[in-house]
Amino acid sequence: MAKGHRSQIKRDRNEQNKDTRPSAKLTNARIPVQKACYVLDAIRGKDVETAQAILAYSPRYASAVIDKLLKSAIANAENNNNMDKNKLFIEECYASNGPIMKRIQPRAQGRAYRIEKRMSHIKIVLNER
């Protein structure tokens, strides 16, 4: 049997499996997941300078939000992990479903249609080459 309390055993196990790659996360972004994924698919696996160039010239709204998130991940890598910016690349980037704001659109004859304003959680994980 393992020694210690169950919470201490979990804490030790989680510390051993902790991910040390630099990352940045944005929760409740007012962008639907599908629209965010168009931009994320374009930069996945690219080095940081190329990804920033792609985001700078992309016409989509999501590219400005993701560019800001990428800059945050780069700053985390430089300040917290002492990594070189020139060697960084995007190892993982994904968007998952967030909460949905439900609104009502009045229609004819007293009916009401529902409008769903979707949100997403976006995460970018970097690594060194």
Side-chain angles (χ1 to χ4, degrees), residues 50-86:
T50 307
Q52 284 183 318
I54 291 169
L55 292 173
Y57 290 102
S58 175
R60 295 182 175 271
Y61 168 74
S63 62
V65 176
I66 292 171
D67 185 38
K68 193 172 178 182
L69 187 65
L70 179 59
K71 288 176 183 173
S72 175
I74 293 168
N76 289 340
E78 289 178 332
N79 295 323
N80 300 342
N81 296 35
N82 298 323
M83 292 182 167
D84 183 21
K85 180 182 176 181
N86 299 323

Side-chain angles (χ1 to χ4, degrees), residues 22 46-49 73-74 77-78 83-90 126-129:
K46 304 261 190 320
D47 61 294
V48 171
E49 285 92 19
I74 293 168
E78 289 178 332
M83 292 182 167
D84 183 21
K85 180 182 176 181
N86 299 323
K87 296 179 183 176
L88 291 174
F89 75 103
I90 299 174
L126 304 177
N127 211 343
E128 271 189 331
R129 283 220 159 101

